[in-house]
Amino acid sequence: MAQCVRSTLNPLRTPHSVTKRVTVKNPAFASVSFLRTLPEFKKYPKPCSLVMSCQGKVQNQQEERPQLSLDDLVTSNRKGEVLGTIKGSLSNCLSETNLLATVPGLKSRIKGKVRDIYDAGDYLILITTDRLSAFDRNLASIPFKGQVLNETSLWWFNNTQHITPNAIVSSPDRNVVIAKKCSVFPIEFVVRGYVTGSTDTSLWTVYNKGVRNYCGNELSDGLVKNQKLPANILTPTTKAADHDVPISPNEIVERGFMTQAEFDEASMKALSLFEFGQRVAKEHGLILVDTKYEFGRSSDGSILLIDEIHTPDSSRYWLAGSYEERFQKGLEPENVDKEFLRLWFKENSNPYEDEVLPAAPAELVTELAWRYIFLYETITGSRIDIIPTQEPIHDRISRNTSQALSSLRQL
């Protein structure tokens, strides 16, 4: 692990205050007539008055905040509705893509941990697959995961335009976005609100080893696992090919990854996005524990939010209603993300060193697929449209992407 040097720990504030009422008349995303409608823009920070319950009913939340419980995850009617579809799709996941062979005009492909990125000339095509990544490797394929991640990000992209612009142009398919090209900063802006985690770079792991200065943040003695931090902190990492490496703000500038002005602007955006995300999650009975953001500079010089935002892949979510009681008893928080599957792999293998890992049990894969759906529907207040199909997902994506690019090139 890289040694992080000290810098000042002061939560940055953005001039785009997240407490300001924002009115947006039209979504900023460009589209053409046949492209799939993007998630409706909700005028946050006005509290959301409606939220979809786990039973699929719409409940009025103006008087009191929902208190989710583990029972909502385990026994809800909605879970029963989707479980059969999930199980029936275990063999039809999107694990690999090869649009170079099926979509005309694409120049190259970069395979990421979860997303495959294709160069389409003036645009980038980002395909969100069903691959599950943790411990810097792929662990399994989760039915509908790519769709849920893609649509979760679109919802958040559309609802955070008052904080920062983003690179999204359109979404022609449930697993696809077309984005503006930009120069990507090789830094992941990891923001944390709690001392927790199980990976080598997680805050609890390094803190438990005695580290008290992490990526420029001075950490006091006496913190315990899953404790809320006095203030949200930024713990950046480099975007290394094989393993993310923690880095301090000073090192980022000194090593030429970003200028000081670029880092300051991106940091303010990251911390404001996280504060906003925490508030929205709280309104829906959840805790946004930590997350990561990525940014790039567009051709006009503006800094854009890219990749994904507040998904269960990039973020950790806990149930708010049971957190305090469980924390006081020394119990792990009830989570709504992939942490339980990460823990299973840690208990049954050495995911960092074993060449071959055990196959994830089908019941855990099915449970994780449901949790991703649960999280999307809880936050957005709408049901996600998961449709079982005999058509291979790759064929559908190729067809829709080809049509979208053809129309965009005619504009």
Side-chain angles (χ1 to χ4, degrees), residues 307-320:
D307 195 51
E308 64 181 323
I309 172 173
H310 298 164
T311 71
D313 253 22
S314 65
S315 314
R316 200 184 315 268
Y317 284 94
W318 293 338
L319 299 184

Side-chain angles (χ1 to χ4, degrees), residues 119-135:
D119 186 342
D122 293 333
Y123 304 100
L124 292 177
I125 310 300
L126 288 82
I127 315 296
T128 307
T129 72
D130 295 328
R131 297 192 296 262
L132 176 69
S133 175
F135 308 107

Side-chain angles (χ1 to χ4, degrees), residues 132-404:
L132 176 69
S133 175
F135 308 107
D136 300 310
R137 62 195 299 177
N138 291 321
L139 302 180
S141 292
I142 312 298
F144 302 106
K145 173 178 176 289
Q147 175 187 345
V148 174
L149 293 184
N150 199 50
E151 298 198 11
T152 298
S153 282
L154 287 171
W155 190 89
W156 283 106
F157 277 130
N158 213 14
N159 281 287
T160 55
Q161 294 176 87
H162 62 292
I163 299 174
T164 179
N166 58 69
I168 306 304
V169 174
S170 62
S171 177
D173 183 272
R174 296 189 287 270
N175 291 68
V176 182
V177 294
I178 300 176
K180 301 173 186 176
K181 277 189 172 180
C182 59
S183 178
V184 178
F185 298 119
I187 299 295
E188 291 189 348
F189 285 76
V190 181
V191 187
R192 306 179 188 274
Y194 293 76
V195 186
T196 193
S198 58
T199 65
D200 282 356
T201 57
S202 71
L203 189 55
W204 171 247
T205 299
V206 298
Y207 185 86
N208 197 37
K209 292 179 179 178
V211 175
R212 294 296 180 268
N213 188 308
Y214 190 51
C215 299
N217 301 298
E218 291 286 355
L219 303 170
S220 60
D221 290 330
L223 299 179
V224 298
K225 189 179 183 184
N226 303 324
Q227 182 175 346
K228 182 177 175 61
L229 290 165
N232 296 329
I233 64 173
L234 183 67
T235 60
T237 66
T238 60
K239 286 175 56 64
D242 55 348
H243 190 68
D244 297 337
V245 179
I247 189 171
S248 75
N250 286 349
E251 286 178 304
I252 290 172
V253 176
E254 290 170 358
R255 294 171 59 180
F257 291 125
M258 303 177 74
T259 67
Q260 187 65 58
E262 288 170 338
F263 176 79
D264 289 346
E265 181 177 347
S267 296
M268 287 191 293
K269 290 177 183 290
L271 286 162
S272 291
L273 287 167
F274 188 66
E275 181 184 348
F276 176 75
Q278 284 184 311
R279 186 151 50 85
V280 174
K282 185 177 181 180
E283 290 172 357
H284 296 80
L286 298 166
I287 296 173
L288 177 59
V289 179
D290 49 40
T291 194
K292 70 174 181 68
Y293 307 100
E294 296 184 39
F295 297 94
R297 185 174 290 283
S298 68
S299 58
D300 65 6
S302 58
I303 292 181
L304 305 179
L305 178 65
I306 64 171
D307 195 51
E308 64 181 323
I309 172 173
H310 298 164
T311 71
D313 253 22
S314 65
S315 314
R316 200 184 315 268
Y317 284 94
W318 293 338
L319 299 184
S322 60
Y323 164 73
E324 188 61 37
E325 180 181 356
R326 293 181 69 84
F327 175 72
Q328 294 298 330
K329 293 180 178 179
L331 300 175
E332 286 294 311
E334 295 173 326
N335 64 77
V336 198
D337 51 49
K338 63 183 181 182
E339 180 67 10
F340 79 95
L341 195 54
R342 275 195 294 243
L343 293 174
W344 183 88
F345 275 99
K346 286 200 73 172
E347 292 169 358
N348 291 275
S349 65
N350 185 333
Y352 283 114
E353 297 182 5
D354 291 353
E355 184 176 345
V356 178
L357 297 181
E363 61 269 22
L364 294 187
V365 170
T366 302
E367 175 64 23
L368 184 57
W370 155 242
R371 291 191 182 204
Y372 277 52
I373 293 169
F374 172 87
L375 186 62
Y376 172 87
E377 295 185 346
T378 299
I379 288 178
T380 68
S382 60
R383 290 196 179 197
I384 195 164
D385 189 16
I386 58 170
I387 304 173
T389 176
Q390 297 301 315
E391 179 186 24
I393 300 173
H394 193 279
D395 292 354
R396 186 200 72 215
I397 287 174
S398 296
R399 182 181 64 253
N400 291 338
T401 303
S402 295
Q403 293 174 355

Side-chain angles (χ1 to χ4, degrees), residues 78-90 144 366 386 388:
R78 177 59 173 156
K79 183 176 182 179
E81 293 174 7
V82 302
L83 208 58
T85 302
I86 293 172
K87 291 180 178 179
S89 301
L90 287 170
F144 302 106
T366 302
I386 58 170

Side-chain angles (χ1 to χ4, degrees), residues 41-94:
F41 185 87
K42 303 180 76 172
K43 297 178 183 178
Y44 280 104
K46 179 181 178 181
C48 181
S49 59
L50 298 176
V51 61
M52 184 71 68
S53 75
C54 301
Q55 287 72 32
K57 299 178 181 178
V58 178
Q59 298 177 329
N60 191 301
Q61 297 297 331
Q62 292 177 329
E63 296 182 358
E64 62 181 47
R65 186 171 295 128
Q67 292 298 315
L68 298 176
S69 70
L70 196 59
D71 287 342
D72 295 321
L73 274 170
V74 175
T75 63
S76 73
N77 293 336
R78 177 59 173 156
K79 183 176 182 179
E81 293 174 7
V82 302
L83 208 58
T85 302
I86 293 172
K87 291 180 178 179
S89 301
L90 287 170
S91 61
N92 189 22
C93 292
L94 183 66

